[in-house]
Structure formats: C-alpha cells, structure tokens
C-alpha cells in the first residue's frame, strides 16, 4: 500500500483531482501524466467513480450542473495504468450515504529496464 512507500526516494505528484471525468481520452491523460514522473514516481488520481446504481443516479444529476463527463469505475481506473504504471493502492472515499463514490488511485511509474 502507499503508506508503506519510502517518500524520500519517490517523486509524488497529485495533478489530477476531479478533472479526469472531463477528459475525452482518459487513458491518454493518465499516460501523459505518467510521462512527467521520474522512475518509481507516484501519480495519485482522485475523481468521482461510477460503481453502482446510486452512483449512476447521483453522478447523472451532477452532470446537469457540470457538463459532459464520464465517471470511470474502479475497474476502468485499474486498466488505465497501461504499461507505464502499476496500481499501488485504491481507496474508495465514502463519507455520507448520499454522496456518490469518490475513488483515489495511486499509480507507480515502472522502472525502466
């Protein structure tokens, strides 16, 4: 898990909080962010995530106020790691029953061999 990483030896970036659903090509956005990391760097992405019926209802209502968005589910977020990144940790943030899911994913840039 991310809390076991040695933060003195990795570059951590948190460039993507709640904006991923608005990118047309989300996998490319993750790949482009990975390109900015040093070897073993960590990319943390936090965004609304559609993982059930309540999320579908609540996030549809949010779209009314924010515009077009695609809220990736946890499996989609895992698959966005591609070959440059590995998934280190995934946390579902759920404070209140009526708030749609927010997921934070920590990706680690793979070592270049």
């Amino acid at each position: 898990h991310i809390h076991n990483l040695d933060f003195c030896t990795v570059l951590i970036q948190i460039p993507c909080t709640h904006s991923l659903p608005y990118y047309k090509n989300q996998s490319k956005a993750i790949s482009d962010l990975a390109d900015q990391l040093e070897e073993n760097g960590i990319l943390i992405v936090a965004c609304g995530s559609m993982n059930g019926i309540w999320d579908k209802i609540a996030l549809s209502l949010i779209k009314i106020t924010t515009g077009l968005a695609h809220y990736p589910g946890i499996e989609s977020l895992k698959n966005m790691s591609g070959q440059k990144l590995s998934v280190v940790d995934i946390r579902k943030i759920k404070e209140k029953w009526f708030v749609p899911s927010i997921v934070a994913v920590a990706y680690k840039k793979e070592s270049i061999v």
Side-chain angles (χ1 to χ4, degrees), residues 2 5-13 34 36-43 84-86 88 106-112:
I2 193 165
L5 296 174
D6 180 359
F7 290 109
C8 296
T9 61
V10 295
L11 170 66
I12 298 175
Q13 292 187 353
Q36 303 305 309
L37 289 173
E38 294 178 8
E39 185 176 320
N40 296 317
I42 302 294
L43 167 64
K84 298 176 185 178
L85 301 166
S86 60
V88 177
Y107 301 96
K108 182 178 178 184
K109 186 166 185 177
E110 293 298 320
S111 300
I112 301 167

Side-chain angles (χ1 to χ4, degrees), residues 2 6 12 24 33-34 44 53 56 67 71 82 93 99:
I2 193 165
D6 180 359
I12 298 175
K24 288 182 182 179
L33 291 168
I44 299 174
I53 190 70
K56 186 173 185 173
Y71 297 96
I93 303 163
V99 176

Side-chain angles (χ1 to χ4, degrees), residues 55-99:
D55 290 338
K56 186 173 185 173
I57 294 166
L59 291 170
S60 294
L61 295 172
I62 290 172
K63 284 183 187 182
I64 293 170
T65 63
T66 62
L68 295 177
H70 170 72
Y71 297 96
I74 290 173
E75 288 304 313
S76 293
L77 288 163
K78 285 181 188 177
N79 293 332
M80 287 183 200
S81 62
Q83 295 183 357
K84 298 176 185 178
L85 301 166
S86 60
V87 175
V88 177
D89 199 5
I90 298 176
R91 300 286 173 105
K92 191 172 180 182
I93 303 163
K94 189 78 170 167
E95 293 293 325
K96 305 282 185 187
W97 69 267
F98 55 86
V99 176

